[in-house]
Structures are given as C-alpha cells and as structure tokens.
Amino acid sequence: MSTATLKGPRWVELRLHRTTLHTLLLALLLAAAATAFLRWGASAYPPVTDCGEAVPCEATFLGFADGEHLLREAMLKASHALLLLPLAVGVFVAGPFVARELESGAHKLAWTQSVPPARWLASRLTTAAAIAAAVALTLMAVFRFGAADLLGSWDMHWSDRGVYEASGPVLVAYCLLAVAIGTLTGLLVRRTLLAASLTGLVTGAVLALLGSLRWQFLPVAQASGPTTTMEPHWIKALPRGAFMTDSGVTNAAGERFVARQCTPDQMAHFSCPSDTRIAGWFLDYHPRSHFWYTQFIETGIVLALAAAAVWAAFLVLRRRTP
C-alpha cells in the first residue's frame, strides 16, 4: 500500500487499529506455518497399512498413528472455522470499527477536519472490505494448500458445510456482506456491544438461511430404474463425486416413498401412498459440475444483499447528519 493511499481517513483508521492488524498478520503467518508443518508431517509419516495384532500401529506423529490423520483433523476444524469467518468480520466492523467511534464521539473530529460524513463512511467501508477480502483469500489459499490431497474424500466432500464455503468465491462475498451489515448496524445502534451482537446474529442468520437453500438453486439430476436393479446395484447410477439429495423407491404409479418407513407398523407415522408395492427406485443428486454454478448464484445473491446494506448505510448517514 503506497503512502498516498494511507493519507487522510484511511491512515487514521489503520493507525487506530494497528494492534489488531498486527495481531491478524501474525495469526495468518502462524496458520500458514502450521499448515506447512502438518503437510510435512503427512508426507514424512505416511499411514501404516501392514499393522495388526503382531505389528501394532503405534502413535508416530504428535500422538497420532500417522501425519495424514492429524492433517485431516486439522483441515476439518479449519473448514468449520472458515465458516465462522464472516461472523468475526461483521462483529469487528460493527463494534470497534464503527459503533465505538460513534459512541465515543470521535467521528466528530474527523468531520471537522475537511472530511465530510459520506467520505468518512466510504473510507471505512473500502478499508474494511479490502482487509476482509484479503484475509478471506489468504485463509482460503492456506486451506486449499493443506487440504489439497484430502478434498473429495468421504469426510471432505465438496458439498459439505465449511468445505463448500472455503473452496469458492462465496466466502469472500459473505465477508463483504458482513462488512456491510456491520457498518449499517453500527450506524443504526451506535453502541459497541449491541451493534456487534446484532451483526453476529444477522450475519449468522443469512449464512444459515442461504446454506439451507443453496441446493435448491439448480434442479437436481435424477436416476431411476426397475426393482431388478435395486440395492446394492442402484448406487452405481450415482456419478463419481456427486452429492445425493434424496433416494427411495416408487410404486407402479410412479409415487415416491421410503420402503423402510412404509411398512404396516410404520405407515401411520409417515406419508405413504396407498399402493406400497415397490416397482422401482430413484436417486436425486447434484453432479460435481453444479458446484461452480451454485457458487456463482449464491455469490451474486450475497453481493446483492451487501450492496443493499451499503446503500442503506449511506441513507442512514445522510438522514442523521446535517
């Protein structure tokens, strides 16, 4: 960042929060170093496949049987932590970055130093957005480096929560949304703790809502067949790497139901067709190619929400300032 870009409000913002920025930079460096160390351990201590009663599998790497096991556990936890990154961004922006300055009245000094309110807000938004995007991209790169050989396995599927967000642009979009929501909430509430709490709730609600709806953005692909190709052969119809959303059986009329639920002793508890004689099977799934389509659709929705929150923030500022 050049000296020119640090003049005026941005220089003041970075100066005020330099301790937080230094801590953040140190945390990113530690995350990268720890991931590199775990990757080295996974290659230096490969899984032992010939152990048994005669040759027990003893712990060889930091208490684990092999380095890959520890790397997998760490990357799983990292994916869950990245899912919470937008909440942390929103809480910081709403509280220490915006509401605390409004609560203390420090913003009045900036407004009297030839910095109009709109420029003050724009500077804070762009600074926070740039830092949030840089942090998200850096952590995503570290995650992809650590989980490069693990992505696609049974416990790190591309559709899993955390792994999905950390593998595409949607995580950056959520961080930008958190910046916008945090700024709007800080302007509305002007109380540090309350603004941070409300931003965390709103951002978490958006994450949960869109996370539950994302697999409805695109129609599912379907596979079906007669009972002659029932289990265990029907699973072969599922393409490699696909995300299965539903499965079951059908009767002669094509009505879907779950066989184990529609037994005589269970039919009173479930919605079952009158004819429960099995005539075929079905699978609903998203192929691997739906990953990027879903990412771009969800990213567009999140960025639209962020733009709306930014517009609302400027509207609130204009109405509350002379």
Side-chain angles (χ1 to χ4, degrees):
M1 189 176 292
S2 65
T3 305
T5 60
L6 291 178
K7 292 180 179 179
R10 287 190 179 86
W11 183 89
V12 175
E13 293 153 14
L14 297 179
R15 181 72 176 173
L16 286 174
H17 301 281
R18 61 186 181 278
T19 302
T20 302
L21 293 175
H22 292 160
T23 303
L24 181 59
L25 180 59
L26 179 61
L28 293 177
L29 292 174
L30 289 176
T35 303
F37 174 70
L38 292 176
R39 286 276 297 178
W40 169 82
S43 60
Y45 297 89
V48 180
T49 58
D50 58 350
C51 56
E53 294 183 359
V55 183
C57 289
E58 298 180 355
T60 58
F61 183 67
L62 301 181
F64 288 82
D66 55 78
E68 183 178 320
H69 188 185
L70 180 57
L71 176 64
R72 182 181 296 275
E73 291 293 326
M75 291 300 102
L76 281 173
K77 289 180 172 58
S79 67
H80 298 153
L82 284 175
L83 183 60
L84 301 177
L85 179 62
L87 275 70
V89 170
V91 167
F92 176 78
V93 171
F97 206 63
V98 175
R100 186 170 66 186
E101 185 163 338
L102 294 172
E103 185 178 11
S104 64
H107 64 290
K108 297 178 181 178
L109 177 62
W111 294 359
T112 58
Q113 299 294 321
S114 301
V115 180
R119 184 187 171 194
W120 172 84
L121 180 59
S123 175
R124 289 191 164 271
L125 272 169
T126 54
T127 300
I131 294 174
V135 170
L137 289 171
T138 301
L139 290 177
M140 288 169 61
V142 172
F143 173 77
R144 291 300 296 261
F145 168 68
D149 301 329
L150 305 175
L151 293 175
S153 57
W154 65 272
D155 57 347
M156 296 193 73
H157 196 262
W158 58 268
S159 61
D160 292 342
R161 294 301 302 266
V163 175
Y164 170 86
E165 286 81 2
S167 302
V170 72
L171 181 63
V172 178
Y174 275 117
C175 288
L176 296 179
L177 175 64
V179 170
I181 293 176
T183 303
L184 175 60
T185 307
L187 287 171
L188 288 171
V189 177
R190 299 193 174 204
R191 295 292 182 271
T192 304
L193 292 179
L194 182 58
S197 301
L198 289 176
T199 299
L201 288 174
V202 174
T203 306
V206 175
L207 276 166
L209 177 62
L210 291 181
S212 65
L213 296 177
R214 66 170 54 115
W215 302 120
Q216 301 178 29
F217 295 158
L218 296 173
V220 295
Q222 297 179 348
S224 60
T227 53
T228 54
T229 58
M230 279 284 290
E231 296 182 282
H233 306 289
W234 62 265
I235 198 64
K236 295 180 180 179
L238 191 67
R240 182 178 179 84
F243 168 47
M244 185 173 67
T245 60
D246 195 12
S247 65
V249 294
T250 59
N251 59 15
E255 296 176 292
R256 294 182 169 190
F257 61 99
V258 180
R260 64 178 179 275
Q261 294 179 353
C262 294
T263 56
D265 58 331
Q266 294 289 329
M267 290 181 64
H269 307 287
F270 298 96
S271 178
C272 299
S274 57
D275 179 12
T276 57
R277 288 177 295 179
I278 297 174
W281 55 268
F282 72 90
L283 285 175
D284 290 342
Y285 64 91
H286 285 285
R288 181 67 177 81
S289 59
H290 281 191
F291 171 79
W292 286 111
Y293 293 113
T294 305
Q295 281 271 342
F296 291 140
I297 292 172
E298 188 172 355
T299 298
I301 294 173
V302 174
L303 291 179
L305 293 175
V310 169
W311 174 83
F314 277 98
L315 182 63
V316 169
L317 182 68
R318 186 165 61 249
R319 290 185 175 182
R320 290 192 174 185
T321 53

